[in-house]
């Protein structure tokens, strides 16, 4: 039987056997359609109508074409991975674990640089194939991948194909309300075979709003959380401008999000005026900590349209972290406390059992806008709301002392949310795929190299 070499610029061409003239015809027509779609996108960019045209194509035609192509094409010797931003911890740690157990290649769309990967401990390898997400080459690698991993949606979410398992790594499960994970998706089929969860409460909720069941949740924790237990060294922190000594991190969520690709700009608050002044309001928090000899580090959300620069604080955005070759969660692992609001980071930070404070001056406007889940979440937060100078001073003193009368509340919150306790979430995910899936990728995975020391425990009765 004749075999054709279909490469589309891939380093390793994929053989496709022509077992059926009809199948070959369908394949050729859909390959042509992919080419046409990309040509229209490029034309739209020249006409400066890219947002509207991209939205129509990516949400409408593209996922249908990719669904058919995935079902027709045989799996090749690679997986497809994409995270946002490029240094997103779930994607990076997933890649690290895959490299330890898989001899195929990782087609990594929008991957961080080799320099970054080297600095965060990746060994030299030719298994990583870097591609640009919106190219025909990337689309080909996607439809022929024997497994797919993504963090923020991908190509309009084509239908899942259990022969080539798709895992939604997601980027955090927390208290932000959402009606649907992929609200503009046009297909009624499952957008992924599996979705990760770091807590039973929000893991099952995220599955529900993405059209999956509880059985589709891989309740193993988020891979990025593994870095909480690999804290950045003093030398690496200095490269970020964080001087030797103790520090806390402020990680506010966005209120007004910048448009990203096909995602429209979003507004999560009923009143954005207080959001605009939040950085200046946070200055008094910085003052309290500096008077106690602690530094404050500010990490803005990558979608945030409002600047979070605060006098006296160190700002580290994603570009700073990528340039220095330091992961965000290794910075959190080295910190002495966290200040946040609705960001999912606080549920991750429960793993290290350090003080958590909530700076949320526009809480009423946010709750009236996007809302929170569950509705009673403010009754059992794992730390104080920093409303007054007295609240801030008390929280700062607790961070300095290294202990907190909120420790019991943190344990209660962990139990109530069904927090997954593990230091090896990435390998735990691959172990689950081996146990649950008979797909080619799962059969090719090697044994967990850390199995002897890997343990997973889920708090509470929600498991």
């Amino acid at each position: 039987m004749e075999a054709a070499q279909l490469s589309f610029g891939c380093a390793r061409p994929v053989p496709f056997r022509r077992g059926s003239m009809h199948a070959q015809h369908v394949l050729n027509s859909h390959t042509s359609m992919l080419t046409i779609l990309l040509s229209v996108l490029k034309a739209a960019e020249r006409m400066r109508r890219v947002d509207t045209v991209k939205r129509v194509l990516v949400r409408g035609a593209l996922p249908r074409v990719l669904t058919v192509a995935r079902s027709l094409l045989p799996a090749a010797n690679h997986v497809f991975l994409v995270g946002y931003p490029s240094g997103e911890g779930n994607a990076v740690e997933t890649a690290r674990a895959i490299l330890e157990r898989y001899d195929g290649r990782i087609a990594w769309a929008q991957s961080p640089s080799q320099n970054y990967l080297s600095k965060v401990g990746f060994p030299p390898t030719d298994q990583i194939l870097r591609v640009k997400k919106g190219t025909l080459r990337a689309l080909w690698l996607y439809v022929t991948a024997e497994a797919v991993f993504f963090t923020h949606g991908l190509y309009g979410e084509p239908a899942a194909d259990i022969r080539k398992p798709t895992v939604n790594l997601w980027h955090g499960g927390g208290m932000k309300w959402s009606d649907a994970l992929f609200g503009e998706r046009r297909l009624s089929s499952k957008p992924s075979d599996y979705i990760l969860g770091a807590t039973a409460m929000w893991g099952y909720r995220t599955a529900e709003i993405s059209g999956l069941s509880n059985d589709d949740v891989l309740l193993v924790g988020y891979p990025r959380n593994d870095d909480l237990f690999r804290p950045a060294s003093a030398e690496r922190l200095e490269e970020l401008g964080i001087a030797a000594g103790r520090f806390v991190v402020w990680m506010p969520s966005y209120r007004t999000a910048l448009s990203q690709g096909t995602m429209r700009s979003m507004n999560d608050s009923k009143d954005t005026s207080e959001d605009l002044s939040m950085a200046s309001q946070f200055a008094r928090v910085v003052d309290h900590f500096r008077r106690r000899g602690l530094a404050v580090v500010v990490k803005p959300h990558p979608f945030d349209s409002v600047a979070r620069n605060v006098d006296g604080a160190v700002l580290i955005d994603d570009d700073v972290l990528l340039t220095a070759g330091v992961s965000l969660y290794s910075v959190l692992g080295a910190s002495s406390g966290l200040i946040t609001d609705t960001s999912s980071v606080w549920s991750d930070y429960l793993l290290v059992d350090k003080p958590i404070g909530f700076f949320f001056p526009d809480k009423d406007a946010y709750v009236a806008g996007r809302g929170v889940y569950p509705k009673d979440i403010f009754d059992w937060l794992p730390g104080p709301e920093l409303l007054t100078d007295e609240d801030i001073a008390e929280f700062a003193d607790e961070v300095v002392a290294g202990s907190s009368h909120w420790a019991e509340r943190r344990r209660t919150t962990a139990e109530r949310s069904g927090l997954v306790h593990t230091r090896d979430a990435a390998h735990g995910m691959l172990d689950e795929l081996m146990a649950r899936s008979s797909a080619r990728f799962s059969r090719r995975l090697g044994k967990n190299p850390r199995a002897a020391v890997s343990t997973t425990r889920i708090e509470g009765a929600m498991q």
Side-chain angles (χ1 to χ4, degrees):
M1 191 180 296
E2 182 184 1
Q5 294 293 316
L6 304 179
S7 67
F8 283 81
C10 303
R12 298 180 184 179
V14 179
F16 179 77
R17 296 193 176 279
R18 297 185 175 94
S20 161
M21 289 300 293
H22 174 69
Q24 182 65 32
H25 173 72
V26 174
L27 173 61
N28 289 340
S29 64
H30 281 82
T31 301
S32 299
M33 181 64 73
L34 288 176
T35 306
I36 292 170
L37 286 171
L38 284 173
S39 298
V40 172
L41 288 175
K42 290 178 180 177
E45 287 174 350
R46 289 194 293 271
M47 294 185 296
R48 297 184 180 179
R49 297 176 183 172
V50 65
D51 288 345
T52 301
V53 176
K54 265 188 177 180
R55 198 168 289 120
V56 171
L57 293 179
V58 173
R59 294 298 174 193
L62 184 60
R64 289 176 169 82
V65 172
L66 294 178
T67 295
V68 174
R70 286 190 84 197
S71 69
L72 288 174
L73 288 163
N77 188 35
H78 66 270
V79 301
F80 191 89
L81 170 67
V82 60
Y84 179 84
S86 62
E88 202 282 331
N90 283 341
V92 171
E93 295 309 314
T94 293
R96 190 196 304 271
I98 289 174
L99 287 173
E100 292 181 1
R101 302 174 63 170
Y102 175 69
D103 61 3
R105 304 192 80 183
I106 300 176
W108 195 342
Q110 315 306 108
S111 69
S113 68
Q114 180 58 51
N115 181 58
Y116 176 85
L117 294 179
S118 296
K119 287 186 174 182
V120 296
F122 275 58
T125 179
D126 62 357
Q127 284 182 255
I128 296 175
L129 178 62
R130 291 177 172 80
V131 292
K132 293 184 178 179
K133 181 180 171 184
T135 62
L136 187 58
R137 185 187 193 198
L139 293 174
W140 180 258
L141 288 164
Y142 166 76
V143 297
T144 56
E146 56 183 342
V148 173
F149 301 84
F150 66 84
T151 66
H152 283 73
L154 179 63
Y155 299 140
E157 297 76 52
D161 184 339
I162 197 64
R163 299 174 305 117
K164 303 172 178 177
T166 299
V167 181
N168 182 352
L169 302 171
W170 206 228
H171 50 276
M175 61 194 277
K176 296 177 186 175
W177 174 265
S178 184
D179 292 306
L181 207 62
F182 304 116
E184 296 187 12
R185 187 172 185 259
R186 306 289 178 82
L187 303 181
S188 58
S189 52
K190 290 170 61 172
S192 65
D193 297 290
Y194 306 103
I195 188 168
L196 294 194
T199 66
M201 172 180 287
W202 288 301
Y204 293 150
R205 170 63 180 168
T206 308
E208 177 187 1
I209 60 177
S210 62
L212 304 182
S213 71
N214 287 0
D215 290 340
D216 300 322
V217 178
L218 303 181
L219 201 57
V220 295
Y222 289 127
R224 68 187 181 194
N225 292 348
D226 297 351
D227 253 1
L228 289 171
F229 304 101
R230 296 191 288 258
S233 66
E235 181 182 4
R236 305 310 310 282
L237 292 172
E238 278 191 33
E239 294 180 46
L240 297 172
I242 304 172
R246 302 175 70 186
F247 65 94
V248 296
V249 180
W250 179 39
M251 287 186 62
S253 189
Y254 63 85
R255 273 57 170 173
T256 302
L258 298 166
S259 60
Q260 303 280 340
T262 61
M263 186 187 81
R264 294 184 176 93
S265 176
M266 299 181 294
N267 191 344
D268 285 354
S269 175
K270 280 287 187 182
D271 181 4
T272 58
S273 59
E274 201 152 14
D275 180 35
L276 296 174
S277 65
M278 191 177 298
S280 61
Q281 294 183 64
F282 191 75
R284 62 193 176 114
V285 178
V286 174
D287 181 60
H288 275 282
F289 276 92
R290 291 186 69 189
R291 278 190 273 142
R292 289 163 174 80
L294 273 75
V296 177
V297 175
V298 179
K299 170 57 177 70
H301 194 286
F303 289 174
D304 209 334
S305 65
V306 177
R308 303 297 179 191
N309 306 62
V310 183
D311 286 344
V314 179
L315 184 77
I316 56 167
D317 60 18
D318 293 295
D319 288 339
V320 170
L321 290 167
L322 285 170
T323 300
V326 181
S327 76
L328 171 60
Y329 271 56
S330 72
V331 175
L332 288 171
S335 68
S336 297
L338 172 70
I339 301 173
T340 186
D341 40 46
T342 62
S343 172
S344 64
V345 67
W346 69 255
S347 60
D348 298 337
Y349 202 73
L350 286 171
L351 290 168
V352 294
D353 194 27
K354 296 177 182 178
I356 304 170
F358 291 85
F359 184 74
F360 206 170
D362 60 340
K363 180 176 78 173
D364 291 342
Y366 189 97
V367 172
R370 179 165 181 169
V372 295
Y373 176 87
K375 300 294 185 184
D376 66 348
I377 184 65
F378 293 109
D379 296 334
W380 47 280
L381 289 175
E385 293 186 60
L386 308 180
L387 303 175
T388 66
D389 280 320
E390 184 179 351
D391 296 331
I392 299 167
E394 184 177 330
F395 179 68
D397 287 339
E398 290 178 355
V399 174
V400 170
S403 61
S404 170
H405 66 260
W406 285 87
E408 182 59 34
R409 175 67 73 84
R410 291 197 297 272
R411 285 190 284 273
T412 300
T413 302
E415 181 175 353
R416 186 163 182 171
S417 61
L419 180 69
V420 179
H421 287 266
T422 180
R423 299 188 177 198
D424 198 14
H427 280 291
M429 172 185 64
L430 297 182
D431 289 343
E432 281 290 297
L433 289 177
M434 288 182 71
R436 295 189 186 202
S437 172
S438 60
R440 188 176 107 154
F441 170 72
S442 300
R443 298 195 307 270
R444 292 185 60 196
L445 284 172
K447 292 181 179 180
N448 183 349
R450 306 178 198 172
V453 295
S454 296
T455 58
T456 300
R457 178 170 60 87
I458 303 174
E459 290 276 7
M462 298 190 66
Q463 54 188 298

